[in-house]
Amino acid sequence: MFVRPSWSATSEEESRHQLQARLTTLFKIMFWAFVLLIGAQALLWEVLYKTEPYRPIYQDQIYVIAVAALTLLAVIWRLILIRRELTMRQLYWLEMFFATGCGTVLGSSAVLAYNFTPSQYVCLIYGMLGVFTRAIVVPSSGRWTAIVSSATFAPMAAAALILGVSDVPLSAPAPLYVAGAWSLEAITVLLASIGSRIIYGLRRRVSAAMQIGQYKVERRIEEGGMGQVFLASHVLLRRPTAIKLLRPERVGADNLERFEREVRHMSQLTHPNTVAVFDYGRSAEGIFYYAMEYLGSGINLEALVAMYGKQPAGRVVQILIQVCGALQEAHAKQFLHRDVKPGNIILCERGGMPDVAKVVDFGLAAPFEDHREPGHILLGTPAYIAPEVITGSGADATADLYALGAVAYFLLSGRRVFDGASGEVLGKHVSVAPTLLSEHVAVAPALEAIVMKCLAKKPADRYQSATELAAALRALPAATDWSDDDARCWWLERQRSEAAAIAASAQPTLTITVDLAQR
């Protein structure tokens, strides 16, 4: 049996994501490789050599097997690996199924094409190429590569034995043919295992040594539309840091200079509810990065609602007040965030204080004047974009407050202001009045009025500054559904749950066995 590695949930998720991506690539490559093989067969047997003695007697049956195998490959590749998130156990079984299936298809094809002796070697060569391709594409230890490769060759070795003991034409005496086939298969397993061990060892060392500027990268935390965020530590200070990488192919090389200029301004933001930016620069590979405060076990508001449902009004009000403080500082420096949404607000515990809100990802931030230029590109998240931004009529601080109102609506009701496809949602922001909060959840009329005022279509009908909005929130009667003690208890329970999850992941569980640390 194989023992699951004792990793934290985050590192295991990173490994799972990488393995699924590599298996997706493998299935894609092998699908098109088999398409070429079947196409070559069709050209030979249906165009050039339509009759015996060359055409295999059971070529029609080979076509049926090949088409069934191609269909299965396509289904797994396009409908499972691309569209679903599989567990590590499922990925391991899928990899083993792929290996055994390929060997079975090639072995049975060699037996069915017994009257055309070159096909026996063509099938063997394709099996060898498949094993080497898998060793190159899929990160794996030498031991696991040996297991998977052996699974590929097991049915092919059986096919060689069947041909050897049968009264069929062979290119060599039966004992020599069988021994030769088995020897080539064994050598392929050995070479693939050695190569896989070397390649994977190099990958691990490169990953371990990855360094951006003065920061040593440890593992990926998350991935967004424009880049990736990694946990890193400063080489000298050893301080945990979050590093965001913005790749030129994601944002466009022309935009990197603008990002660098904006991050330079963002690094001057010092509000305690804004994630602190420590450093920025470009790597030798041309990747723009910035280093920011690492928020540890914080949870973004999108995940908060997904995991715990709609939030108490008292808690929401305190979060909104904190976010207003962060936005007010940015607005005072003539910057809009442009992507205020639940996913960009992290709730965390800092210095023993629970429910500290941090506004993150100013990656789309820009000076006010950038929004007054005609033909500007629409950036942001459709569910949280103000009408004037959509129509291109210019935007100021009230655009961020509109988005914050949509965040409040989501936190209180557990649902977005508008649902639907992106284009439909954008159209609703411009022309459809939002449903009152009270139609979805019991809420104090004064709080509902504040949220709905933020969502006014015309900027002039909204609060004109984050300070004004915060003042309105502070003027609300004290809520009784959420207190400081509630917040402390909530974070204590969350810490216990996380500790239990880590402890559980450290317990050996019987699953498909591969030591992923050596994979």
Side-chain angles (χ1 to χ4, degrees):
M1 301 295 289
F2 293 109
V3 179
R4 183 179 179 179
S6 300
W7 283 19
S8 68
T10 303
S11 59
E12 184 174 353
E13 171 59 21
E14 170 72 14
S15 301
R16 187 209 62 77
H17 177 82
Q18 182 189 44
L19 178 58
Q20 182 159 346
R22 293 308 181 97
L23 285 178
T24 302
T25 301
L26 177 64
F27 271 77
K28 177 181 178 180
I29 291 173
M30 295 309 298
F31 173 84
W32 290 113
F34 278 113
V35 166
L36 290 175
L37 177 61
I38 296 170
Q41 289 186 27
L43 176 64
L44 287 173
W45 309 135
E46 311 308 326
V47 178
L48 301 178
Y49 303 99
K50 297 184 179 181
T51 59
E52 298 181 33
Y54 298 111
R55 190 182 194 275
I57 297 174
Y58 296 105
Q59 183 60 35
D60 292 339
Q61 286 80 352
I62 293 175
Y63 285 144
V64 172
I65 293 173
V67 170
L70 273 180
T71 302
L72 191 57
L73 272 177
V75 168
I76 295 174
W77 166 32
R78 301 295 302 180
L79 300 183
I80 297 179
L81 283 170
I82 289 180
R83 299 190 180 186
R84 293 180 54 192
E85 287 190 359
L86 304 181
T87 65
M88 288 297 261
R89 178 174 183 172
Q90 290 171 329
L91 291 171
Y92 288 143
W93 279 116
L94 193 60
E95 187 177 10
M96 187 63 73
F97 173 77
F98 167 81
T100 307
C102 285
T104 301
V105 169
L106 292 171
S108 59
S109 298
V111 172
L112 291 173
Y114 67 86
N115 62 305
F116 184 63
T117 54
S119 66
Q120 300 156 11
Y121 293 101
V122 171
C123 291
L124 179 58
I125 291 171
Y126 245 73
M128 295 166 64
L129 292 176
V131 167
F132 284 130
T133 300
R134 183 232 159 248
I136 294 171
V137 172
V138 182
S140 172
S141 67
R143 182 176 59 181
W144 180 243
T145 295
I147 294 172
V148 175
S149 302
S150 298
T152 300
F153 283 130
M156 299 185 69
L161 182 60
I162 292 172
L163 290 171
V165 300
S166 303
D167 187 18
V168 297
L170 298 172
S171 57
L176 183 60
Y177 169 79
V178 174
W182 287 3
S183 297
L184 288 174
E185 292 164 358
I187 292 171
T188 302
V189 171
L190 178 63
L191 293 178
S193 301
I194 294 173
S196 187
R197 184 184 65 185
I198 293 173
I199 292 173
Y200 187 61
L202 289 173
R203 281 174 175 159
R204 291 182 64 198
R205 283 193 288 272
V206 168
S207 177
M210 183 178 177
Q211 185 170 320
I212 301 292
Q214 293 297 311
Y215 301 91
K216 184 177 180 181
V217 176
E218 297 178 8
R219 58 178 170 83
R220 188 175 63 186
I221 300 173
E222 63 179 54
E223 182 169 2
M226 294 191 177
Q228 298 174 314
V229 180
F230 292 85
L231 173 63
S233 60
H234 193 279
V235 174
L236 299 178
L237 300 177
R238 310 285 181 178
R239 175 178 58 190
T241 306
I243 296 283
K244 182 160 187 177
L245 307 184
L246 298 170
R247 296 184 178 276
E249 66 269 19
R250 293 285 186 92
V251 299
D254 295 339
N255 287 329
L256 284 181
E257 184 177 350
R258 179 174 61 84
F259 270 108
E260 187 171 358
R261 182 181 69 251
E262 292 165 6
V263 171
R264 189 183 307 120
H265 291 297
M266 286 159 45
S267 64
Q268 300 172 13
L269 300 178
T270 59
H271 194 277
N273 294 114
T274 299
V275 67
V277 175
F278 301 139
D279 195 7
Y280 63 90
R282 297 195 193 194
S283 70
E285 295 77 20
I287 300 174
F288 179 67
Y289 71 90
Y290 59 90
M292 55 188 169
E293 179 182 6
Y294 175 58
L295 301 178
S297 60
I299 181 172
N300 70 59
L301 300 187
E302 185 81 35
L304 179 70
V305 173
M307 295 173 63
Y308 302 98
K310 57 189 179 184
Q311 295 299 297
R315 190 181 204 186
V316 173
V317 168
Q318 293 304 313
I319 292 172
L320 296 177
I321 291 173
Q322 294 180 70
V323 174
C324 282
L327 292 178
Q328 181 57 42
E329 184 195 21
H331 295 165
K333 295 180 181 294
Q334 297 295 297
F335 264 83
L336 295 182
H337 186 287
R338 286 204 300 180
D339 199 20
V340 175
K341 62 181 180 180
N344 281 340
I345 302 172
I346 308 293
L347 203 60
C348 58
E349 187 179 37
R350 307 298 283 175
M353 295 180 60
D355 275 4
V356 176
K358 291 278 188 176
V359 180
V360 304
D361 203 356
F362 279 79
L364 298 182
F368 285 1
E369 57 267 20
D370 283 6
H371 297 270
R372 302 190 182 100
E373 296 175 359
H376 76 278
I377 298 174
L378 181 62
L379 296 175
T381 303
Y384 303 93
I385 299 181
E388 64 273 20
V389 176
I390 297 170
T391 59
S393 57
D396 55 21
T398 60
D400 278 348
L401 300 186
Y402 180 94
L404 186 57
V407 170
Y409 194 103
F410 174 72
L411 291 175
L412 291 166
S413 67
R415 54 195 299 161
R416 293 178 176 84
V417 178
F418 298 115
D419 285 318
S422 295
E424 181 184 359
V425 169
L426 293 175
K428 289 179 179 179
H429 279 301
V430 174
S431 59
V432 178
T435 304
L436 290 174
L437 256 178
S438 53
E439 295 188 21
H440 303 301
V441 63
V443 61
L447 177 56
E448 180 183 38
I450 290 174
V451 174
M452 301 312 292
K453 183 173 181 178
C454 289
L455 293 173
K457 300 298 180 186
K458 297 180 179 180
D461 294 335
R462 303 173 201 149
Y463 294 98
Q464 295 304 294
S465 70
T467 299
E468 184 183 350
L469 173 56
L473 291 166
R474 289 192 180 96
L476 290 170
T480 59
D481 57 356
W482 190 260
S483 65
D484 290 343
D485 288 339
D486 292 327
R488 281 188 286 270
C489 290
W490 190 92
W491 282 99
L492 180 61
E493 182 60 32
R494 175 169 170 79
Q495 290 168 357
R496 288 174 178 169
S497 299
E498 288 185 339
I502 293 173
S505 69
Q507 297 297 323
T509 24
L510 293 179
T511 85
I512 224 187
T513 293
V514 174
D515 182 358
L516 197 55
Q518 295 296 323
R519 182 181 166 79

